[in-house]
Amino acid sequence: MRARKWLSGASATALLTAGVVIGTASSASATPTGCSAQVSGLTASSYCSGGTGEHRVHVLQKHFLPDVGPILILGPWTPVGSTSSTNITPHTIVNVWVTTRG
């Protein structure tokens, strides 16, 4: 009787684990691909050429007054194949990157 109970518990655990792995793989394959970011003048933009989901550009700038702290500017979420762009300040750019969600 104990062996049967253990076997059914082990089977349920294996099924649950397989479901989690499959669920994770399908959501990972939906993320945008071929993404890049660029800055031109006072505009930052990002573009993703493949996959599905959305992306947006992030810009981290350093204010000329150190006490003010960093400036984080985010573009809007846009679908793959569209450009996410935002205006930025004339301060020093520390980093520019793309965030994706799928």
Side-chain angles (χ1 to χ4, degrees):
M1 190 64 138
R2 275 193 230 173
R4 197 179 289 176
K5 197 175 196 179
W6 180 86
L7 185 57
S8 67
S11 296
T13 301
L15 269 171
L16 183 60
T17 303
V20 169
V21 170
I22 290 170
T24 304
S26 63
S27 65
S29 63
T31 57
T33 60
C35 300
S36 62
Q38 70 175 22
V39 175
S40 177
L42 293 178
T43 302
S45 61
S46 66
Y47 181 80
C48 294
S49 59
T52 59
E54 298 177 306
H55 67 95
R56 72 176 172 184
V57 65
H58 292 247
V59 180
L60 181 63
Q61 293 186 287
K62 179 178 155 185
H63 198 281
F64 66 86
L65 297 173
D67 294 340
V68 173
I71 304 165
L72 179 62
I73 302 171
L74 308 173
W77 286 107
T78 58
V80 168
S82 298
T83 302
S84 172
S85 63
T86 186
N87 295 325
I88 60 174
T89 67
H91 298 284
T92 302
I93 296 173
V94 176
N95 197 4
V96 179
W97 69 96
V98 181
T99 299
T100 62
R101 66 181 181 187

